[in-house]
Amino acid sequence: MEAALVPVTQANKDVLANVYQFYDYDFSPFTNQDVNSNGQFEVNIDYYWEGDGRWNPFFIMVNGSIAGFLVVLFENMDVDPDPRHVIYDFMILQKYRRAGIGRQAALQAFGMYNAHWAVAQMDNNTPAIYFWRNVIQHFTGGRYTETYKAEWGKYIQTFSTKNNVKKEESCRS
């Protein structure tokens, strides 16, 4: 199976909002989020399309089907001409997990931008911590930094794809 990143347009934002229901469901053990009185998680992604260009949502597609999504945030774009790129949200549907789809999608995202990167995980989300450490280790060949921000309860990995001649090759791995 091969993953492909497809930009989410405003015309497809309702589809993305629907898929966010699964994301919030999967994430609820870590956030303690509950559904509302209509039996849904509160999802508001309208700000992705409010014109500032910082939010870059993508569907992760496999053979024409949605397998998940990821959102790349250009952090501090309003004040920094070279903003740090952040994997803001990332989700693979259960059916596609442990099949390499998440790894492929992450590597494609990293390969799309010549940038400084940050990826964060909640400290109680050990599967995400393991996944991102493994993917980033593979992508960078170990050239990344990890810090723990106790006040946020998050692990953060940082690295750069600036002037990375191996970027294209790494994306195909």
Side-chain angles (χ1 to χ4, degrees), residues 37-153:
S37 61
N38 293 322
Q40 297 179 314
F41 291 97
E42 298 289 335
V43 174
N44 179 4
I45 57 173
D46 290 338
Y47 58 94
Y48 288 177
W49 291 276
E50 290 180 350
D52 67 11
R54 295 181 306 149
W55 301 97
N56 300 276
F58 296 89
F59 286 123
I60 300 167
M61 305 294 293
V62 173
N63 298 327
S65 295
I66 297 172
F69 70 91
L70 66 84
V71 178
V72 178
L73 167 65
F74 299 167
E75 189 175 67
N76 299 321
M77 189 173 96
D78 53 340
V79 295
D80 188 346
D82 187 18
R84 180 167 61 173
H85 290 41
V86 177
I87 298 291
Y88 186 77
D89 283 335
F90 183 90
M91 195 273 296
I92 302 296
L93 293 170
Q94 291 281 341
K95 172 183 175 179
Y96 297 99
R97 292 184 188 169
R98 304 216 178 269
I101 300 304
R103 175 184 289 265
Q104 287 178 44
L107 295 176
Q108 286 177 36
F110 297 151
M112 289 173 67
Y113 302 102
N114 194 14
H116 300 292
W117 284 91
V119 182
Q121 308 86 49
M122 296 172 71
D123 59 7
N124 60 346
N125 189 348
T126 53
I129 295 166
Y130 175 80
F131 172 81
W132 285 110
R133 283 176 178 164
N134 184 288
V135 168
I136 294 167
Q137 167 70 31
H138 170 79
F139 182 77
T140 66
R143 292 180 303 278
Y144 72 97
T145 301
E146 181 174 285
T147 55
Y148 178 70
K149 298 280 189 183
E151 64 274 21
W152 298 342

Side-chain angles (χ1 to χ4, degrees), residues 11-26:
N12 289 334
K13 79 176 182 179
D14 290 340
V15 177
L16 181 60
N18 290 339
V19 180
Y20 256 99
Q21 291 294 314
F22 301 111
Y23 174 76
D24 286 341
Y25 170 78
D26 281 353

